[in-house]
Amino acid sequence: MTRRRRIYEGKAKILYEGPEPGTLVQFFKDDATAFNAKKHDIIDGKGVLNNRISEYIFTSLNRIGIPTHFIKRLNMREQLIKEVEIIPIEVVVRNIAAGQLSERLGIPEGEVLPRSIIEFYYKKDELNDPLVSEEHITAFGWATPQEIDDMMALAIRVNDFLSGLFLGVGIQLVDFKIELGRLYENDIMRIIVADEISPDCCRLWDVKTNKKLDKDRFRQDMGGLLDAYNEVATRLGLINENEAPRGKGPVLVKSDKED
Ligand code: UDP
């Protein structure tokens, strides 16, 4: 077996060299981290679920014309992606107050925001990913004003799509984080959605009970993280109840003649 070249290892994923130039393989680990990796645990099977959930969301985004880096899922833990130049800004969209917004501004968790709010965080572990303004982003050259406009437009479209998708299965999208990258194709560059979208980077609450179905279960030592992620995948129709996460399998199609 040949050893693949490892390009980058993050807290929850590893990137390997892909089979063709311009591609990478993204591997989902079982590591759960919070508070800039001060809290760390291994949760068996989390990577498999996030790979599956992220595949579904990115495939859906691609299908409705929101460009992403996703090409295809390769196996339980890996997906083939387009190589992009990651913009060092995390874009957070919030619909309901929670987390840092509640702490920073004293808005009670659960309060519906007057409108969706977009925030930018500078990706820098040593600094705990500080909140930054558009002024910082353009002054320090992390992205241009045009790129910020594109990032915001994509974030709003993702928010609209995800809010509807999750509401349809009885889940409220409280907030989420996306990462974006520059894709260079021939002479043009465009900004596309990269990284992953999974319960690791969204806040998802059950509509009826407000039960948390996301990484806050780990951050707040509530337990039941894997069950919660399983619940999200099951409601999205990605796995059957009480089944290991591997998709629905073949469905018998009756021919018209038999009816
Ligand atoms: N988030 C993330 N990665 C980060 C920081 C935040 O995926 O490094 C997500 C988080 O899961 C939540 C949203 O972004 O869905 C907003 O998080 P917040 O700013 O409230 O920070 P937190 O309370 O998670 O530290």
Side-chain angles (χ1 to χ4, degrees):
M1 210 175 87
T2 51
R3 245 186 121 74
R4 284 178 300 182
R5 197 157 70 89
R6 190 189 309 206
I7 307 284
Y8 172 81
E9 175 151 8
K11 287 174 232 155
K13 294 187 293 294
I14 307 174
L15 293 179
Y16 294 100
E17 194 172 49
E20 286 157 34
T23 65
L24 297 173
V25 173
Q26 178 165 259
F27 178 98
F28 287 75
K29 303 196 281 185
D30 282 337
D31 298 60
T33 61
F35 314 115
N36 199 10
K38 286 188 200 82
K39 186 175 161 72
H40 175 252
D41 211 345
I42 304 284
I43 298 177
D44 282 341
K46 178 176 82 80
V48 175
L49 283 164
N50 280 354
N51 185 22
R52 194 73 188 81
I53 294 169
S54 201
E55 172 201 16
Y56 178 69
I57 292 174
F58 275 61
T59 305
S60 309
L61 292 176
N62 283 341
R63 211 169 271 157
I64 60 166
I66 299 176
T68 81
H69 72 165
F70 181 84
I71 302 172
K72 66 172 178 180
R73 185 165 62 87
L74 297 171
N75 54 48
M76 299 269 279
R77 287 189 183 273
E78 295 179 326
Q79 40 186 250
L80 184 67
I81 57 170
K82 293 176 188 164
E83 184 171 22
V84 295
E85 180 183 283
I86 290 285
I87 296 171
I89 299 295
E90 297 188 341
V91 180
V92 167
V93 183
R94 301 178 183 274
N95 301 305
I96 295 172
Q100 281 200 45
L101 180 95
S102 294
E103 284 160 32
R104 204 181 309 114
L105 303 179
I107 300 171
E109 183 179 91
E111 199 163 296
V112 178
L113 298 172
R115 61 177 171 82
S116 301
I117 293 175
I118 302 181
E119 296 174 342
F120 303 109
Y121 292 84
Y122 179 42
K123 261 169 76 76
K124 199 81 176 163
D125 280 344
E126 307 91 280
L127 302 173
N128 283 331
D129 296 350
L131 178 71
V132 291
S133 69
E134 293 186 40
E135 278 286 280
H136 297 118
I137 298 172
T138 51
F140 296 119
W142 299 322
T144 65
Q146 175 62 52
E147 287 176 334
I148 295 177
D149 284 351
D150 292 351
M151 288 160 69
M152 290 175 76
L154 283 170
I156 290 167
R157 291 182 71 195
V158 172
N159 185 47
D160 287 346
F161 172 75
L162 284 186
S163 295
L165 174 75
F166 283 120
L167 207 56
V169 295
I171 294 173
Q172 191 123 46
L173 178 65
V174 173
D175 56 32
F176 66 94
K177 179 263 310 185
I178 53 170
E179 298 193 21
L180 301 120
R182 299 183 184 97
L183 178 70
Y184 295 91
E185 276 174 332
N186 305 319
D187 277 349
I188 59 160
M189 182 280 286
R190 61 193 176 119
I191 292 184
I192 67 174
V193 183
D195 193 50
E196 70 177 296
I197 299 181
S198 72
D200 264 7
C201 47
C202 302
R203 283 197 171 91
L204 303 169
W205 295 353
D206 180 83
V207 167
K208 287 206 192 103
T209 63
N210 277 348
K211 183 182 170 190
K212 293 182 201 276
L213 300 170
D214 56 60
K215 206 167 86 171
D216 270 353
R217 301 203 73 84
F218 173 72
R219 293 189 190 96
Q220 299 172 7
D221 291 317
M222 301 168 83
L225 181 117
L226 204 67
D227 284 349
Y229 285 28
N230 238 309
E231 168 97 36
V232 173
T234 304
R235 288 203 202 177
L236 290 173
L238 307 179
I239 50 175
N240 295 325
E241 267 168 277
N242 308 320
E243 188 205 340
R246 59 184 156 78
K248 275 192 176 138
V251 177
L252 181 68
V253 181
K254 274 185 162 182
S255 104
D256 289 335
K257 287 185 198 125
E258 286 169 10
D259 286 332

